[in-house]
Amino acid sequence: MAASSSEKQAVVIGIDDSEQSRYALTWALDHFFPSPIFKVVLVHSRPTASSAVGLAGPGAAEVLPIVDSDLRKIAARVVETAKQICVSKLVDDVVAEVVEGDPRNVLCDAVEKHHAAMLVVGSHGYGAIKRAVLGSVSDYCAHHAHCTVMIVKKPKSKH
């Protein structure tokens, strides 16, 4: 007997506009879904317009609404693409959320909010210097999320 959606445990899957994110989503769906015990919670972290632009002062007031509109369109596209991947894998117990903020905090907060059994994130495969400067979302989540964290790496293509 299948559990109802409200009884199923959540698997939070972090999504963004990257090939690595789409690969991680597809990988998780192929290995764990459709599932009688898990539901999918897709979470996209959207930056604030001011953090995306990184400027203040004269002119910022005119630019920020345009940037915010673009960020909303990107978020809608990311969610729609992820939902289409779910549909193609016959996974229909899916909830999608777009939350403004740093992806590290957004994903860890989503784990708490949904009492997630697992968090799935893709790995961008940054080198040590870029990871040190930007900070790794997957590394942060592995240390701070209160659930199992699966970091899915896209295999390197053979030339």
Side-chain angles (χ1 to χ4, degrees):
M1 182 158 102
S4 73
S5 184
S6 61
E7 295 169 354
K8 289 183 178 183
Q9 287 190 289
V11 173
V12 172
I13 303 177
I15 57 172
D16 64 20
D17 202 17
S18 71
E19 187 180 337
Q20 294 86 353
S21 171
R22 290 185 292 278
Y23 179 83
L25 172 60
T26 301
W27 190 95
L29 295 176
D30 285 345
H31 287 83
F32 299 111
F33 296 94
S35 170
I37 58 171
F38 293 122
K39 62 183 174 185
V40 175
V41 180
L42 303 170
V43 178
H44 174 65
S45 168
R46 184 173 82 80
T48 62
S50 58
S51 71
V53 172
L55 62 88
E62 291 81 28
V63 173
L64 291 179
I66 298 165
V67 172
D68 189 62
S69 174
D70 285 348
L71 291 171
R72 288 180 191 277
K73 288 175 189 170
I74 291 167
R77 185 179 69 235
V78 167
V79 168
E80 187 54 38
T81 299
K83 284 182 175 180
Q84 287 174 1
I85 292 170
C86 292
V87 168
S88 75
K89 300 292 182 180
L90 306 176
V91 177
D92 58 2
D93 196 356
V94 179
V95 175
E97 298 179 351
V98 175
V99 180
E100 198 171 71
D102 183 291
R104 292 171 274 250
N105 299 325
V106 167
L107 291 172
C108 288
D109 290 349
V111 164
E112 295 297 315
K113 175 183 170 186
H114 296 284
H115 307 287
M118 182 170 29
L119 169 63
V120 178
V121 292
S123 173
H124 286 260
Y126 294 141
I129 294 173
K130 198 167 190 181
R131 195 170 49 247
V133 172
L134 296 176
S136 167
V137 172
S138 58
D139 184 61
Y140 181 90
C141 291
H143 288 91
H144 293 90
H146 294 255
C147 69
T148 298
V149 177
M150 180 169 292
I151 302 168
V152 179
K153 292 184 178 186
K154 188 173 192 275
K156 291 186 174 163
S157 59
K158 297 191 167 104
H159 298 283

